[in-house]
Amino acid sequence: MFTFLVQRLFQALIVMFVISLVAFSIQDNLGDPLREMVGQSVSDAERQVLRDELGLNDPYITKYTRFISNAVQGDLGDSYFFKRPAVDVILEKLEATIELVFGASIIIILISIPLGVFSAIHPKSIWTKAIMAFSSIGISIPVFLTAIILMYVFAIELQWLPSYGRGETLNVLGWETGYLTKDGLLHLVLPCISLASIMLPLFIRLVRSEMLEALSSEYVKFATAKGLVMKKVYYQHALKNTMLPVLTVGGVQIGTMIAYTILTETVFQWPGTGFLFLEAINRVDTPLITAYVIFVGLIFVVTNTVVDLLYGVINPTVKITGKGA
Amino acid sequence: ADITVAYDSDPVTLDPHEQLSGGVLQMSHMLFDPLVRFTKEFDFEPRLAEKWERIDDNTFQFTLRQGVKFHSGNTMTADDVIWTFNRLKTSPDFKNVFSPYEKLVKVDDYTVQLISYEPYPLVLQTATYLFPMDSKFYSGEVDGADKSVIIKHGNSFASTHVSGTGPFTIESREQGVKVVFDRFDDYWDKKSPGNVDKLTLVPIKENATRVAALLSGDVDLIHPVAPNDQKRVSDTKNIELTTVAGTRIITMQMNQNSNEALKDVRVRQAIVYAINNDAIVKKIMKGFATTAGQQGPEGYAGYDANLVPRYDLEKAKQLMKEAGYEDGLKLTMMAPNNRYVNDAQIAQATASMLSKIGITVDLKTLPKAQYWPEFDKCSADMMMIGWHSDTEDSANFSEFLTMTRDAETGRGAYNCGYYSNAKVDELVNAANAETDLTKRAAMLQEVEQILYNDAAFVPLHWQNLAWGAKSSLNVSPIVNALNFPYFGDLVVK
Amino acid sequence: MSLLQVKNLRIEYPSRFGVHAAVKSLSFSINRGEIVGVVGESGAGKSTVGNAIIDLLSPPGVIAGGEVFLDDQKISGLSLEEMRKVRGNKIGFIFQDPMTSLNPLFTVEQQLLETIHANLNVTHQEALKRAIQLMDQVGIPEPEVRIKQYPHQFSGGMRQRVVIAIALSGEPDLIIADEPTTALDVSIQDQILTLIRNLCIEKNVGCMLVTHDMGVVSNVTDKVAVMYRGDLVEFGETSKVLSTPDHEYTRSLISAVPRSDRKLARFPLVNYIEEAQEHQALDLKNHWLGQSEEQRSYKGPLLNVENVSLRFVTKDSFFESKREYVQANKSVSFSIKEGETFGLVGESGSGKSTIARVITGLYPPNEGKITFEGIDLTAIKSERERRPFRRQMQMVFQNPYTSMNPRMKIYDIIAEPIRFHKLAASESEIQQIVFDLLDHVGLGRMAGVKYPHEFSGGQRQRISIARALATRPRLLICDEPTSALDVSVQAQILNLLKDLQDELNLTMLFISHDLPVIRQVCDRIGVMQKGQLLEVNESEELFTHPRHEYSKHLISLMPEFKGLRNDI
Amino acid sequence: MNSLTQEIKAPSRWQRFKNSDFIYHFKRDKVAMFSFAVFLAFFTAALFAPLISPTNPYDLTSIDLMDSELPPSWLSGGEERFLLGTDDQGRDILSTILYGSRLSLTIGFLAVAVQLLLGIVIGLSAGYFGGRIDSLLMRFADIQLSFSTMMVAIIITAIFKASFGAEFFSQYAVVMLIVIIGVAEWPQYARTIRASVLAEKKKEYVEAAQVMGFRSMRIMFRHILPNCLSPILVISTVQVANAIMSEAALSFLGLGLPVDQPSLGALISIGFKYIFSGAWWITIFPGIVLISLVLVINLLGDWLRDVFNPKIYKG
Ligand SMILES: Nc1ncnc2c1ncn2[C@@H]1O[C@H](COP(=O)(O)OP(=O)(O)OP(=O)(O)O)[C@@H](O)[C@H]1O
Ligand SMILES: Nc1ncnc2c1ncn2[C@@H]1O[C@H](COP(=O)(O)OP(=O)(O)OP(=O)(O)O)[C@@H](O)[C@H]1O
Ligand SMILES: [Mg+2]
Ligand SMILES: [Mg+2]
């Protein structure tokens, strides 16, 4: 376990290194950061001066070594737009994203598991068909549209919920949370539902299909024969066996959600990292983009490490060891 | 009254000299005041300069308003104006605007004289960019750094601290999330009817969301309103749409360097004749734009009412035939897809119109971040560019778009058509030194006429500006074609 | 008033090739305090009946007719919730396949406790006490420690005992036990049967005991039901049925029981075969199975196991000192000569299966080495070098069900090794061989189109044997190969193996708990306990003069079949 | 569906196919047959789009801006010529759906095929071999995950532009899109498959296969893979829809198909802007096509999963 974690830590460093290398090599293809910094009438000579100041004219190797030597000290450069260390900017926006992802995950878990299990237990029920049809529709409706429709219905027509932003937040131990104020919670509803709507169909289907497999197994039969309440048979015996792929996909998706809540955050003007990233791309804020991608790499290594550890917890036959062979 | 305003972006900085962009100027008009400002009709309205007069060809004198207080409590004097002018001369973005001037000299505490190198006609236009800053506040050092320094890509004192003379002070600012402005109690303009006590500016990037925020009542005023949403906004009860004819011209340039055929004036003319500006404005812009046949809009010095769009498919075909391109030709076209209103659709429509005269267009649309590098290289045979004159003057268009490219003077820097006409160059240069405004207007009109005849570029339209606001806000008096709403004067019922 | 009453039960398995009536029209009853033994041909429908009683037929099985009564209450066709109350609480069920009955993701403790809580109204402490007590009763050593472990850390026999413990934990009125002791050594088997017997006497519980072991039938059951191809051919007092059977099948079944008292050359074959499946004795010289490829020049023992030790980590820790182990094999050494059958007997959980896995290379041993024809297998690193030995060495797994890919049809399961090792020239030849093998294990060719789960326990075991034979191995490791087979099929299979051995010098490692079978089959026998090999002896010698105390103990417990033996 | 050629070549194989469980169950499952029929209908309609569609929307000469945003013909203001109305450029929606489906289906399916291929090979190897290989491949997946589709698109385009030139890219836009979307999303499969493999490889049937001496490749693909199929099928059906929409998003970045040749996904995205301004038909009709397509793909996927799981009884 300990060796395992040490190894993962080491691997995470390599991952981040490779990402920085790739991110750095494509920087020039992202656009020209100068464009976003200067007005239209600024002359070419002026631009060159700025470029020199920013070190944009240096050869790739110089730029990269400079980057790496700063990076080892935890400095991934300053965002052009925010004029602050990119890492700080990301960390600051992360709160909002985590709250959004958390809310969406709760919705996904609360809905997909019961529905998935239900539709596996009653494959012939009319409800199952409805759930499956709904999920197919859900898959094909882009999140952008879902978000806009929700907004039009609940914010404009009914005026029950606010249309954008995070609303009022409360500072708890340095963490700005929207979960503790009424306004904050109201602001969370629509974005969370929209975000959840992307993954919900996938998870319902996944739970259902894994559940179907588990239900045909002998141990479920034996558990039934033991006289257990069926709920227990389904939700403990069968469900736990379905968890491995669900957890895996969940891990990847949570990572993806934290990483690319782009659309939801854009539509709801949610001040999180996804929106930040999109803006950074639009503004060609290369230090921020690089820092962000590296950061996302870290998120993935971490979530996947957690998921791998959970495999061992869920399935004792899957051994987690640090050995390399 | 407290209001919330949603824009598509928030100002990148609080330093008025850091970047010459709409966002920064909008901010400047709230936190600072210029010497003079434009009215809706492009006239000049005295602000911190009470009076002005031309002393001679090269000298222009401003009389400053007395008793104007900065947010810090300091009183504004000629020293502040001079300090500001000198700072502007060092700003990469603004130095170009102020390059005609040699210096600003103090006559007395409330009188200054602007001296240009050559006779210069656009003094008042440039004076709209002079927002006097609090020289005492911005002088000195913090943490070992000069407070007055302008830094584009890093933190500076001025980018986070403000002391202006404007109607508002900054209460708080969370970049990308919101900026809160408070009414400045000691604001000099006691005659201003404005009654906004607190103004919260939130950036909402997505068009649909911005409209939704307005319709749901979460914000009081939005800008811009996409053409598609304008009908909905104006149809909604208690919400009003205010539009103003804009001054940003949208054009397509025809690259004579990359495509032999475009050197032929007949081909260029054919292209102009083939494009139906009316249809674009009507269908794509939903009528929220003004069709253009020239660079500058009405109200600008060079505007010539006779230069109207000329859509004539037969004529276009005829011209193609004359030029020997009966069988058509191939063109590449590039356009941004998130820079101008409906830019990609306009490009598509243009491409399809050109196909009617046998021109096959290979169209590529890109996000602006990727588009500008391509534009710098003039990668395609036809490229879209929109232009807004910083000086609200016709000559500015030509300087950047249609004069012969010259790396040294920076003329024609955005001329991806590689159009070059000595006469045009000469006329524009002359106009820039002509202080007699009538003569000057004639020159600029001639320029437009030449460009028109030569089909130097494809003029499409001027984008309108639109604001959506609750009816309780009296928006129309404070908005203008320049897109600097004077929020200080906003009246909320 | 009888506890369980089954009336005219008919069970069908529809499939795309027609409806298969697994049970045709079955009626019998069980009284309180009574043990009813169910015997019969493998695939006769014994498990199916049991499953039908608690309404857990595996799909597509359906009860096509008949009724089931428990305490005069009709329990066939009850609602889900009502049925649940019957299960566990009224009827304790032990499935035939103990390996798959346990949920791999829960500890034994969790699985036991939840059953107790579901059926009895007790506190957690009481439940735990009861669970440990049950574990102890079914003979699991160190129950307090073992209860915390996961099923995969148990040996086959131990898992079977856990399943029994779970079934008994709800204090049911009726116990349906489907071959509950197949993986248990005689002493544990005895312990468990005594436990059930006592339950029946003390708590007035009824029991339906499906078994193939005629010794068990004669020793513990009060009544016996004999099934043949979905029909009940005989039902009555055990002593009466066994001594004066009415039906021809019963008679031939009894005649096929392996003798525990002396060794015979061949097993007596069942002569009651309804549809006269003419089985000519295998002419191996002309048969595919007889065409061996190997050059045999090596003279020493074919297989040599030297000082093999293996331990499993049961609790991992970063610190060496904190790790916990189970020593599954302790310095085990023996060797098998070419053409010999070496038997391994011993306590359940003594490491028999583990040593078999070590030999096949599935577990690398911690110490010691395995040599095959003088070549050290433990030294081989690459899979490629190992492959030729793989083919020559085959294994019949203790649990045939889990050792078959659930998504492959039987035909492919058997054909795959032939294809892979290119043992046949053409696809049609492969088909010929597969059908042949299926015939020889008594399944018939139609079995090829089915999937593993569509078979009875004994049928799966036979598939497993057919698959092992398909590579024409030289060394066959059989881990309980006949535990689920009725004596008649068992005789057929064992005769087949014997023929192969005679003709081809097939070498076998034969692991079994069935001492009479071991006596009939093996030349030499090793006795294992707690990971150690206690004694290796000539077969007859061991049975007549066991040396080790434990061996003596085992042999003394061998259940004696007291049936008619008039045909010899 | 190349059955015809096979029939001539090897009748026995065709015969076997015809007799297989697959076909047997298919013939008995009305839902599967219906879904397949619908799917086939979309497929052929897309394939023969140039023959059946009223106009060629990709031919710029045939469209007129003045025809833009016309409602479906049965609504007031609609025109006979445009059954389902027109889009913002005056393209006939019906024709565009037909032409666009062709692109979208090709990209959707092939991109998912690429994802599957990469995901399966990498996931199986990682799970089966474990250890270093596992760490290497999974960290590689982490790196891949960190770059969104958009970034991958930028990277791949840059690489291709550098090595083949810009011309190449526009010529092979479809191929490039397949590669881009294929490469961008494989980790999802790889990780899922790996998880299943981790659980499966401890099962006895795998040990049995090892004892048989089978090659690792065989054990991985023939034995373990079929047992990991159910999550793969679920993800795949979702991914097809995703790929179709990703393609549309990429074309916004200037990395996809030419804007004047909108695919189904692009058409839907174009319509977003108009959905509340009146011209709902631009999004709704192609949306319905996409939804029904995804629906039948899902139904077929569910059915396939059941067929591949012999334990699930199919009435
Ligand atoms: N799920 C199923 N699908 C189809 N056929 C089945 C299924 N389960 C069992 N059968 C068939 O039903 C018959 C009876 O099986 P059952 O398991 O009851 O036999 P059994 O008497 O318990 O045999 P054994 O002693 O070998 O365990 C067998 O021929 C078997 O092939
Ligand atoms: N994977 C494992 N992890 C931990 N312990 C194990 C594992 N496999 C087996 N054991 C332990 O090793 C010991 C020997 O097991 P093995 O399966 O060899 O017994 P066996 O002699 O075959 O018994 P049986 O006759 O009951 O099948 C048992 O105590 C068992 O609990
Ligand atoms: Mg059975
Ligand atoms: Mg064993």
Short mmCIF file of all heavy atoms in Angstrom, two decimals, chain B residues 228 279-280 282-284 286 337 345 348-349 352-353 355-356 363-367, chain D residues 60-61 63 65-66 68-69 88-89 91 252-254 259-260 273-274 276-277:
data_model
loop_
_atom_site.label_atom_id
_atom_site.label_comp_id
_atom_site.label_asym_id
_atom_site.label_seq_id
_atom_site.Cartn_x
_atom_site.Cartn_y
_atom_site.Cartn_z
N ASN B 228 -30.39 37.31 -33.02
CA ASN B 228 -31.44 36.31 -32.87
C ASN B 228 -32.34 36.57 -31.68
O ASN B 228 -33.48 36.15 -31.66
CB ASN B 228 -30.82 34.94 -32.69
CG ASN B 228 -30.51 34.32 -34.02
OD1 ASN B 228 -31.23 34.56 -34.99
ND2 ASN B 228 -29.45 33.57 -34.08
N ALA B 279 -29.36 41.16 -48.31
CA ALA B 279 -29.80 39.85 -47.85
C ALA B 279 -29.09 39.49 -46.56
O ALA B 279 -29.70 38.97 -45.62
CB ALA B 279 -29.52 38.80 -48.92
N ILE B 280 -27.80 39.79 -46.51
CA ILE B 280 -27.05 39.45 -45.30
C ILE B 280 -27.60 40.20 -44.10
O ILE B 280 -27.84 39.63 -43.04
CB ILE B 280 -25.55 39.73 -45.50
CG1 ILE B 280 -24.97 38.75 -46.52
CG2 ILE B 280 -24.80 39.63 -44.18
CD1 ILE B 280 -23.53 39.00 -46.88
N LYS B 282 -30.50 41.55 -43.77
CA LYS B 282 -31.88 41.22 -43.48
C LYS B 282 -31.97 39.83 -42.85
O LYS B 282 -32.63 39.63 -41.83
CB LYS B 282 -32.68 41.26 -44.78
CG LYS B 282 -34.15 41.04 -44.59
CD LYS B 282 -34.94 41.45 -45.84
CE LYS B 282 -36.30 40.82 -45.79
NZ LYS B 282 -36.60 39.97 -46.95
N LYS B 283 -31.30 38.88 -43.48
CA LYS B 283 -31.49 37.51 -43.04
C LYS B 283 -30.57 37.12 -41.88
O LYS B 283 -31.01 36.52 -40.92
CB LYS B 283 -31.22 36.55 -44.23
CG LYS B 283 -32.35 36.54 -45.22
CD LYS B 283 -33.58 35.93 -44.57
CE LYS B 283 -34.70 35.73 -45.60
NZ LYS B 283 -35.81 34.96 -45.03
N ILE B 284 -29.31 37.44 -42.03
CA ILE B 284 -28.39 36.97 -41.00
C ILE B 284 -28.34 37.92 -39.82
O ILE B 284 -28.37 37.50 -38.67
CB ILE B 284 -26.99 36.74 -41.60
CG1 ILE B 284 -27.07 35.62 -42.62
CG2 ILE B 284 -25.99 36.40 -40.51
CD1 ILE B 284 -25.82 35.37 -43.38
N LYS B 286 -30.64 39.97 -39.13
CA LYS B 286 -32.03 40.23 -38.74
C LYS B 286 -32.33 41.72 -38.74
O LYS B 286 -33.08 42.23 -37.88
CB LYS B 286 -32.29 39.66 -37.34
CG LYS B 286 -32.07 38.18 -37.22
CD LYS B 286 -33.30 37.44 -37.70
CE LYS B 286 -33.21 35.95 -37.49
NZ LYS B 286 -32.13 35.30 -38.19
N ASN B 337 -14.95 32.89 -36.26
CA ASN B 337 -16.32 32.48 -35.94
C ASN B 337 -16.76 32.89 -34.54
O ASN B 337 -17.81 32.50 -34.08
CB ASN B 337 -16.51 30.97 -36.16
CG ASN B 337 -15.52 30.16 -35.36
OD1 ASN B 337 -14.93 30.66 -34.40
ND2 ASN B 337 -15.33 28.91 -35.74
N GLN B 345 -21.53 32.88 -40.24
CA GLN B 345 -22.68 32.80 -41.15
C GLN B 345 -22.54 33.76 -42.31
O GLN B 345 -22.88 33.45 -43.45
CB GLN B 345 -23.98 33.14 -40.41
CG GLN B 345 -24.53 32.00 -39.61
CD GLN B 345 -24.33 32.26 -38.14
OE1 GLN B 345 -23.19 32.45 -37.69
NE2 GLN B 345 -25.40 32.28 -37.38
N GLN B 348 -20.20 32.31 -44.76
CA GLN B 348 -20.84 31.25 -45.52
C GLN B 348 -21.75 31.80 -46.59
O GLN B 348 -21.76 31.33 -47.73
CB GLN B 348 -21.68 30.38 -44.58
CG GLN B 348 -20.92 29.29 -43.91
CD GLN B 348 -21.90 28.32 -43.27
OE1 GLN B 348 -22.64 27.63 -43.95
NE2 GLN B 348 -21.91 28.29 -41.96
N ALA B 349 -22.53 32.78 -46.19
CA ALA B 349 -23.46 33.36 -47.14
C ALA B 349 -22.69 33.99 -48.31
O ALA B 349 -23.06 33.85 -49.47
CB ALA B 349 -24.33 34.40 -46.46
N SER B 352 -21.55 31.39 -50.62
CA SER B 352 -22.60 30.85 -51.47
C SER B 352 -23.00 31.86 -52.54
O SER B 352 -23.32 31.50 -53.67
CB SER B 352 -23.76 30.39 -50.59
OG SER B 352 -24.94 31.02 -50.96
N MET B 353 -22.94 33.13 -52.21
CA MET B 353 -23.26 34.15 -53.23
C MET B 353 -22.22 34.15 -54.34
O MET B 353 -22.54 34.31 -55.52
CB MET B 353 -23.33 35.53 -52.58
CG MET B 353 -24.57 35.70 -51.73
SD MET B 353 -24.40 37.09 -50.62
CE MET B 353 -25.99 37.06 -49.81
N SER B 355 -20.58 31.68 -55.33
CA SER B 355 -20.71 30.50 -56.17
C SER B 355 -21.65 30.76 -57.34
O SER B 355 -21.54 30.14 -58.39
CB SER B 355 -21.22 29.32 -55.34
OG SER B 355 -22.60 29.49 -55.08
N LYS B 356 -22.52 31.74 -57.18
CA LYS B 356 -23.46 32.05 -58.24
C LYS B 356 -22.78 32.67 -59.47
O LYS B 356 -23.35 32.68 -60.55
CB LYS B 356 -24.54 33.02 -57.72
CG LYS B 356 -25.26 32.53 -56.48
CD LYS B 356 -26.45 31.70 -56.86
CE LYS B 356 -27.33 31.23 -55.72
NZ LYS B 356 -26.81 31.06 -54.40
N LEU B 363 -13.95 27.62 -47.95
CA LEU B 363 -14.11 28.48 -46.78
C LEU B 363 -13.65 27.78 -45.51
O LEU B 363 -13.89 26.60 -45.29
CB LEU B 363 -15.59 28.84 -46.63
CG LEU B 363 -15.99 29.54 -45.33
CD1 LEU B 363 -15.36 30.90 -45.23
CD2 LEU B 363 -17.50 29.65 -45.23
N LYS B 364 -12.99 28.55 -44.70
CA LYS B 364 -12.58 28.01 -43.41
C LYS B 364 -12.89 29.05 -42.34
O LYS B 364 -12.52 30.21 -42.49
CB LYS B 364 -11.08 27.75 -43.46
CG LYS B 364 -10.61 26.99 -42.30
CD LYS B 364 -9.36 26.20 -42.66
CE LYS B 364 -9.08 25.31 -41.49
NZ LYS B 364 -8.19 24.28 -41.69
N THR B 365 -13.59 28.63 -41.31
CA THR B 365 -13.85 29.58 -40.22
C THR B 365 -13.14 29.08 -38.96
O THR B 365 -13.08 27.90 -38.70
CB THR B 365 -15.34 29.73 -39.93
OG1 THR B 365 -15.87 28.47 -39.55
CG2 THR B 365 -16.10 30.24 -41.12
N LEU B 366 -12.61 30.02 -38.21
CA LEU B 366 -11.77 29.68 -37.06
C LEU B 366 -12.14 30.54 -35.87
O LEU B 366 -12.60 31.66 -36.03
CB LEU B 366 -10.30 29.97 -37.39
CG LEU B 366 -9.68 29.24 -38.57
CD1 LEU B 366 -8.45 29.99 -39.02
CD2 LEU B 366 -9.33 27.84 -38.18
N PRO B 367 -11.88 30.04 -34.68
CA PRO B 367 -12.03 30.93 -33.52
C PRO B 367 -10.98 32.03 -33.60
O PRO B 367 -9.91 31.82 -34.18
CB PRO B 367 -11.75 30.02 -32.32
CG PRO B 367 -11.57 28.66 -32.85
CD PRO B 367 -11.41 28.72 -34.32
N LEU D 60 -23.04 25.01 -53.16
CA LEU D 60 -23.39 26.37 -52.76
C LEU D 60 -24.26 27.08 -53.78
O LEU D 60 -25.05 27.96 -53.43
CB LEU D 60 -22.12 27.16 -52.50
CG LEU D 60 -21.35 26.73 -51.24
CD1 LEU D 60 -20.08 27.54 -51.11
CD2 LEU D 60 -22.21 26.88 -50.01
N THR D 61 -24.10 26.72 -55.07
CA THR D 61 -24.88 27.44 -56.08
C THR D 61 -26.37 27.17 -55.91
O THR D 61 -27.19 27.97 -56.34
CB THR D 61 -24.48 27.01 -57.50
OG1 THR D 61 -24.29 25.60 -57.50
CG2 THR D 61 -23.21 27.69 -57.93
N ILE D 63 -28.05 26.99 -53.12
CA ILE D 63 -28.75 27.57 -51.98
C ILE D 63 -28.78 29.10 -52.09
O ILE D 63 -27.92 29.72 -52.69
CB ILE D 63 -28.12 27.15 -50.64
CG1 ILE D 63 -26.68 27.64 -50.53
CG2 ILE D 63 -28.19 25.66 -50.47
CD1 ILE D 63 -26.07 27.36 -49.19
N LEU D 65 -29.59 32.60 -49.85
CA LEU D 65 -29.76 33.16 -48.52
C LEU D 65 -31.19 33.65 -48.30
O LEU D 65 -31.70 33.63 -47.19
CB LEU D 65 -28.77 34.31 -48.33
CG LEU D 65 -28.68 34.90 -46.93
CD1 LEU D 65 -28.32 33.84 -45.90
CD2 LEU D 65 -27.69 36.03 -46.89
N MET D 66 -31.82 34.07 -49.39
CA MET D 66 -33.16 34.60 -49.22
C MET D 66 -34.15 33.51 -48.80
O MET D 66 -35.25 33.81 -48.34
CB MET D 66 -33.65 35.28 -50.52
CG MET D 66 -32.88 36.55 -50.85
SD MET D 66 -32.54 37.62 -49.44
CE MET D 66 -34.14 38.39 -49.21
N SER D 68 -33.57 31.51 -46.40
CA SER D 68 -33.18 31.03 -45.09
C SER D 68 -34.31 31.08 -44.08
O SER D 68 -35.23 31.89 -44.17
CB SER D 68 -32.00 31.85 -44.57
OG SER D 68 -32.44 33.14 -44.24
N GLU D 69 -34.18 30.16 -43.13
CA GLU D 69 -35.11 30.07 -41.99
C GLU D 69 -36.57 29.96 -42.38
O GLU D 69 -37.45 30.49 -41.71
CB GLU D 69 -34.90 31.25 -41.03
CG GLU D 69 -33.56 31.20 -40.34
CD GLU D 69 -33.38 32.34 -39.37
OE1 GLU D 69 -34.29 32.55 -38.55
OE2 GLU D 69 -32.33 33.01 -39.44
N ASP D 88 -30.23 28.46 -41.54
CA ASP D 88 -29.88 29.88 -41.57
C ASP D 88 -29.26 30.32 -42.89
O ASP D 88 -29.16 31.51 -43.16
CB ASP D 88 -28.94 30.21 -40.42
CG ASP D 88 -27.66 29.41 -40.50
OD1 ASP D 88 -27.70 28.30 -41.07
OD2 ASP D 88 -26.63 29.89 -40.01
N GLN D 89 -28.81 29.35 -43.69
CA GLN D 89 -28.20 29.72 -44.97
C GLN D 89 -29.14 29.45 -46.14
O GLN D 89 -28.78 29.67 -47.28
CB GLN D 89 -26.90 28.94 -45.19
CG GLN D 89 -25.81 29.28 -44.20
CD GLN D 89 -25.19 30.65 -44.47
OE1 GLN D 89 -25.22 31.14 -45.60
NE2 GLN D 89 -24.65 31.27 -43.44
N ARG D 91 -30.37 26.34 -46.69
CA ARG D 91 -30.25 24.94 -47.10
C ARG D 91 -31.52 24.20 -46.72
O ARG D 91 -32.09 24.43 -45.66
CB ARG D 91 -29.07 24.28 -46.38
CG ARG D 91 -27.74 24.52 -47.01
CD ARG D 91 -26.67 23.80 -46.24
NE ARG D 91 -26.41 24.49 -44.99
CZ ARG D 91 -25.30 25.21 -44.75
NH1 ARG D 91 -24.37 25.30 -45.66
NH2 ARG D 91 -25.15 25.80 -43.61
N PHE D 252 -16.36 23.83 -35.25
CA PHE D 252 -16.36 25.22 -34.78
C PHE D 252 -14.93 25.71 -34.59
O PHE D 252 -14.60 26.87 -34.85
CB PHE D 252 -17.10 25.33 -33.44
CG PHE D 252 -16.98 26.69 -32.82
CD1 PHE D 252 -17.77 27.72 -33.27
CD2 PHE D 252 -16.06 26.93 -31.82
CE1 PHE D 252 -17.65 28.99 -32.72
CE2 PHE D 252 -15.94 28.20 -31.26
CZ PHE D 252 -16.73 29.23 -31.72
N LEU D 253 -14.06 24.81 -34.18
CA LEU D 253 -12.67 25.20 -33.97
C LEU D 253 -11.91 25.30 -35.28
O LEU D 253 -10.71 25.53 -35.29
CB LEU D 253 -11.98 24.17 -33.08
CG LEU D 253 -12.46 24.16 -31.64
CD1 LEU D 253 -11.86 23.00 -30.90
CD2 LEU D 253 -12.10 25.47 -30.97
N GLY D 254 -12.63 25.06 -36.37
CA GLY D 254 -11.95 25.13 -37.65
C GLY D 254 -11.14 23.88 -37.92
O GLY D 254 -10.30 23.86 -38.80
N VAL D 259 -17.27 24.38 -43.00
CA VAL D 259 -18.53 24.86 -42.44
C VAL D 259 -19.67 24.81 -43.42
O VAL D 259 -20.83 24.73 -43.02
CB VAL D 259 -18.43 26.33 -41.97
CG1 VAL D 259 -18.04 26.38 -40.54
CG2 VAL D 259 -17.52 27.14 -42.84
N ASP D 260 -19.35 24.87 -44.69
CA ASP D 260 -20.47 24.87 -45.64
C ASP D 260 -20.93 23.46 -45.99
O ASP D 260 -21.72 23.26 -46.89
CB ASP D 260 -20.13 25.70 -46.89
CG ASP D 260 -18.73 25.46 -47.37
OD1 ASP D 260 -18.17 24.40 -47.01
OD2 ASP D 260 -18.19 26.32 -48.09
N LYS D 273 -28.93 28.25 -31.73
CA LYS D 273 -29.10 29.69 -31.62
C LYS D 273 -30.51 30.11 -32.00
O LYS D 273 -30.95 31.19 -31.65
CB LYS D 273 -28.13 30.37 -32.58
CG LYS D 273 -26.74 30.48 -32.02
CD LYS D 273 -25.95 31.47 -32.86
CE LYS D 273 -24.80 30.74 -33.50
NZ LYS D 273 -24.17 31.41 -34.57
N TYR D 274 -31.15 29.23 -32.77
CA TYR D 274 -32.43 29.65 -33.32
C TYR D 274 -33.61 29.06 -32.57
O TYR D 274 -34.75 29.38 -32.84
CB TYR D 274 -32.52 29.24 -34.79
CG TYR D 274 -31.46 29.91 -35.61
CD1 TYR D 274 -30.20 29.34 -35.75
CD2 TYR D 274 -31.70 31.15 -36.21
CE1 TYR D 274 -29.21 29.98 -36.48
CE2 TYR D 274 -30.72 31.78 -36.93
CZ TYR D 274 -29.48 31.20 -37.06
OH TYR D 274 -28.51 31.83 -37.78
N PHE D 276 -34.91 29.36 -29.71
CA PHE D 276 -35.88 30.23 -29.04
C PHE D 276 -36.23 31.47 -29.84
O PHE D 276 -37.04 32.27 -29.43
CB PHE D 276 -35.36 30.63 -27.66
CG PHE D 276 -35.35 29.47 -26.73
CD1 PHE D 276 -34.17 28.87 -26.36
CD2 PHE D 276 -36.55 28.96 -26.25
CE1 PHE D 276 -34.18 27.77 -25.52
CE2 PHE D 276 -36.57 27.87 -25.41
CZ PHE D 276 -35.37 27.28 -25.04
N SER D 277 -35.58 31.60 -30.98
CA SER D 277 -35.92 32.78 -31.77
C SER D 277 -36.89 32.41 -32.87
O SER D 277 -37.13 33.18 -33.78
CB SER D 277 -34.67 33.41 -32.34
OG SER D 277 -34.10 32.57 -33.31
#
